[in-house]
Amino acid sequence: MTTTPLNGTLAEPAPTPLALLLLGREADTASERGVDCPGDLPAASDPDLVARARAAKAALGDRVFILGHHYQRDEVIEFADVTGDSFKLARDAADRPDAEFIVFCGVHFMAESADILTSADQRVILPDLAAGCSMADMATAEQVAECWDVLTDAGVADTVVPVAYMNSSADIKAFTGRHGGTICTSSNAERALTWAFEQTAGAARSASDKGGGGRGAGKVLFLPDQHLGRNTAVRDLGISPDECVVYNPHKPHGGLTAEQLRDAKMILWRGHCSVHGRFSLDSVNEVRERVPGVTVLVHPECKHEVVEAADLVGSTEYIIRALDAAEPGSTWAIGTELNLVRRLAKAHPDKEVVFLDRTVCFCSTMNRIDLPHLVWTLESLVEGRVPNVITVDPETEKFAKLALDQMLALP
Ligand code: 13P
Ligand code: SF4
């Protein structure tokens, strides 16, 4: 299958202080990155960890509700009351108003969303505050505000509806809510984009009445994952890759001319997932040679050329359902996070499940939540201390909730 050359290329970021903080070195007092656990963390080698986690969870009973994202380690998933992708977990958190403590075994943006969707007296806890997300960090509030100024100066802001991926900070979600947009996840991105273009139709009409708009009138600003945005627009909505432009926050005016912005339908933020971004066309070709008859199934955070070369594309929940429905004896190469792929392989011994890439591909920040952090969190709660509470300030929460509620109301 041929692919059309795309705007913008992907380069590894330079080793900045931020990159070091993500690795847990140094400390950033203004954010959760790189912070040390303030408590007395049990040793990973402690043979009683499982028993301690069980005892603490039993002592807390219904006061605690533990959510586990599919990319979490097995040792953590074992203690989750529910597992899911980010969409399902957002709903699950909102559906448990009786739980005093929501322990979120996932990453920071997920815990923020849970805090926004739960009541004021519930506390959302992230067992390790250094469990951030490199993709979410690729769009800061300042950069996005500057982008909106660029769109305004180009005369197109009136015709743009923002769609932010769940994998973004509460600030970016609030920006999206303030500008009449919606949040999406990998399981509802098509519905979210369809809805957003329906909203832009009205906005484009009124902008062109005022002499604005332009050739590609009716646009979506998709943040922060360029790949999910492009894959959804091109594969699901039939938008041409030529109508997608990439806004690079590190370049003046995003690296785009006013004319390019006017002509575009999709303005893609230049962000990506450091885990899914690793899969390449070579890995697809290589696995097809290595495993004859294999079905290649990838997550839509993968690059467009990988998604085009795959047989099936879908969110983590989709991947799990596809494997559940697969014929015994079938062979599968999965392009998503390794904890999930390993669990799928274990759960389906009658099928051959291989990892799409030969190299190990855990999400390093998801993996920060381990059994010692979970035990420390649960035992702290038993002792009456509430550690690592994630709170979103009321003003940000108000607008972020608008965008999240819009997602939950998508047709
Ligand atoms: P989903 O949970 O929406 O599939 O997203 C995958 C992911 O990268 C979560 O961080
Ligand atoms: Fe972020 Fe990618 Fe890890 Fe998900 S898998 S938390 S998007 S870095």
Side-chain angles (χ1 to χ4, degrees), residues 163 184-194 222 228 232 236-237:
V163 176
C184 76
T185 69
S186 53
S187 39
N188 62 15
E190 181 183 356
R191 275 186 290 145
L193 270 193
T194 303
F222 193 93
L228 178 65
T232 312
D236 300 331
L237 271 67

Side-chain angles (χ1 to χ4, degrees), residues 69 71 84-87 107 109-110 133 165 167 185-187 273 276 299 301 315-317 366:
H69 188 271
Y71 297 166
D85 64 1
S86 47
F87 179 69
V107 290
F109 69 79
M110 298 179 182
C133 164
Y165 191 21
N167 303 19
T185 69
S186 53
S187 39
C273 166
H276 295 92
H299 193 280
E301 286 175 16
S315 67
T316 41
E317 286 289 331
M366 282 276 181

Side-chain angles (χ1 to χ4, degrees), residues 36 39 160 165 184 205 305 354 410:
D36 289 326
V160 173
Y165 191 21
C184 76
R205 261 195 308 277
E305 69 210 41
V354 301
L410 282 173

